[in-house]
Amino acid sequence: MRIIARKTLRNFWEQPQYADSEKPLEAWHYEVKKAEWDNPADIKAQYRHASILKNNRVVFNIARNKYRLVVEIKYVRGIVYIRFIGTHKQYNKIDGSKI
């Protein structure tokens, strides 16, 4: 999969209060880059705890569920767009299916 944009992840982990997210986000990026997902079932097969939302959105739990990563996936094109990364508290203030 092609991920747009890694810079969003880097900007997040470079903030001192989120520095502990660097290694888990790097691991997620590496795994997803190698993945070939054709549908949500492919994601669930690889990430059992991922939440599938409407509008092709998926929520991944990062750093043992300390952070939430919301992406939009264009399956036909093989592109993953990063839409949100934040804490659970921050995630609770958004609508993951619309962001």
Side-chain angles (χ1 to χ4, degrees):
M1 304 296 287
R2 185 170 157 221
I3 303 167
I4 311 289
R6 184 174 181 272
K7 183 178 180 182
T8 304
L9 300 178
R10 187 179 322 112
N11 289 343
F12 183 77
W13 78 55
E14 286 179 346
Q15 297 176 64
Q17 68 269 35
Y18 307 128
D20 64 333
S21 69
E22 181 177 3
K23 294 224 184 286
L25 286 170
E26 285 280 15
W28 176 89
H29 186 271
Y30 177 78
E31 291 172 5
V32 172
K33 198 167 135 179
K34 294 187 328 181
E36 294 181 16
W37 296 329
D38 294 321
N39 56 57
D42 292 343
I43 296 169
K44 290 296 276 187
Q46 185 173 356
Y47 290 96
R48 189 175 87 214
H49 296 291
S51 299
I52 307 299
L53 306 178
K54 57 186 172 178
N55 298 323
N56 292 322
R57 303 301 201 272
V58 181
V59 181
F60 293 94
N61 297 316
I62 304 294
R64 297 187 177 184
N65 214 15
K66 185 173 182 180
Y67 303 107
R68 293 274 174 113
L69 173 63
V70 180
V71 301
E72 177 182 3
I73 301 178
K74 301 293 186 190
Y75 295 99
V76 174
R77 293 183 176 160
I79 300 175
V80 176
Y81 296 93
I82 297 170
R83 294 293 184 212
F84 171 85
I85 177 71
T87 65
H88 274 270
K89 186 176 180 180
Q90 293 164 336
Y91 173 78
N92 289 337
K93 294 179 181 178
I94 67 160
D95 182 346
S97 66
K98 293 182 181 177
I99 195 162

